[in-house]
């Protein structure tokens, strides 16, 4: 019997957006052996584990990922690889407390970049208010970043027009 990966993908996405995260993660794990859908499976697992860790914005991030072209998806995955973030690291029941503490500290140290990234993603999605919220949050952490000041200012001006 052949595995129908398209059907599994549909069930994974449906489960994810119905807030049935453990079921979605199980479907994504099945998809990981598919060469066609492995990248979606990987990112889905990262997002599920992120949501379970309290990072609720990962739901919007996954939506953006699905709506993106293949090159954008590849870039988003490379971001996680470049920062040495894997779904194994996010999974609380697969790592011990000491490793978890180290991982959380390293993610917190890079939270400004995450705020900037989310701000830019929401800007591309057309949600100017959420984009401003995240970029303003990043600006509070980097008050002397002139490029960030300019981005927030321009986005604020454009949202009032």
């Amino acid at each position: 019997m052949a595995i129908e990966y398209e059907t599994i993908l549909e069930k994974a996405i449906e489960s994810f957006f119905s807030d049935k995260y453990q079921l979605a993660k199980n479907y994504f794990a099945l998809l990981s052996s598919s060469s066609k859908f492995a990248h979606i499976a990987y990112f889905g697992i990262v997002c599920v584990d992120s949501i379970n860790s309290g990072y609720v914005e990962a739901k919007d991030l996954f939506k953006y990922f699905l709506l993106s072209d293949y090159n954008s998806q590849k870039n988003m995955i490379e971001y996680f690889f470049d920062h040495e973030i894997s779904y194994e690291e996010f999974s609380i029941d697969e790592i011990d407390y000491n490793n978890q503490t180290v991982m959380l500290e390293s993610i917190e140290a890079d939270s400004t970049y995450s705020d900037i990234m989310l701000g830019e993603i929401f800007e591309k999605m057309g949600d100017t208010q959420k984009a401003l919220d995240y970029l303003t949050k990043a600006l509070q952490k980097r008050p002397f970043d002139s490029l960030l000041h300019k981005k927030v200012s321009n986005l604020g001006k454009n949202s009032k027009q």
Side-chain angles (χ1 to χ4, degrees), residues 25 42 45-53 55 80 84-95 100 103-104 107:
K25 187 174 179 178
Y42 166 79
I45 291 171
V46 168
C47 289
V48 166
D49 289 336
S50 297
I51 289 168
N52 289 336
S53 297
Y55 191 66
F80 283 93
E84 298 177 2
I85 298 170
S86 67
Y87 66 84
E88 287 92 357
E89 287 178 299
F90 276 96
S91 183
I92 291 173
D93 50 358
E94 291 181 17
I95 56 178
Q100 193 175 23
M103 180 207 56
L104 290 174
I107 288 174

Side-chain angles (χ1 to χ4, degrees), residues 6-157:
E6 288 86 2
T7 303
I8 295 171
L9 177 64
E10 289 173 15
K11 290 181 178 185
I13 292 170
E14 180 181 301
S15 299
F16 183 88
F17 288 112
S18 298
D19 300 334
K20 298 175 184 170
Y21 299 116
Q22 188 56 50
L23 183 59
K25 187 174 179 178
N26 293 340
Y27 283 127
F28 287 132
L30 287 173
L31 275 178
S32 64
S33 61
S34 161
S35 59
K36 184 176 180 182
F37 300 117
H39 67 292
I40 297 172
Y42 166 79
F43 204 78
I45 291 171
V46 168
C47 289
V48 166
D49 289 336
S50 297
I51 289 168
N52 289 336
S53 297
Y55 191 66
V56 294
E57 292 86 353
K59 192 168 188 176
D60 290 325
L61 188 61
F62 187 64
K63 182 191 297 183
Y64 177 78
F65 178 85
L66 291 174
L67 296 173
S68 298
D69 61 26
Y70 180 76
N71 286 332
S72 297
Q73 289 177 342
K74 185 178 156 196
N75 290 337
M76 291 173 78
I77 289 171
E78 285 176 6
Y79 167 81
F80 283 93
F81 277 126
D82 289 345
H83 290 82
E84 298 177 2
I85 298 170
S86 67
Y87 66 84
E88 287 92 357
E89 287 178 299
F90 276 96
S91 183
I92 291 173
D93 50 358
E94 291 181 17
I95 56 178
D96 62 64
Y97 178 77
N98 291 330
N99 287 338
Q100 193 175 23
T101 303
V102 171
M103 180 207 56
L104 290 174
E105 287 173 358
S106 66
I107 288 174
E108 287 171 5
D110 195 41
S111 66
T112 304
Y113 185 79
S114 299
D115 291 333
I116 293 169
M117 184 180 77
L118 281 167
E120 291 175 354
I121 288 170
F122 281 116
E123 180 182 9
K124 287 179 184 176
M125 291 173 65
D127 192 336
T128 307
Q129 187 54 52
K130 276 191 179 179
L132 272 172
D133 291 345
Y134 280 105
L135 292 172
T136 303
K137 190 174 169 184
L139 189 57
Q140 291 172 345
K141 296 174 188 173
R142 290 188 187 170
F144 301 108
D145 188 328
S146 60
L147 291 174
L148 194 53
H149 266 285
K150 186 176 181 180
K151 182 143 188 84
V152 170
S153 177
N154 289 337
L155 196 57
K157 288 176 187 174

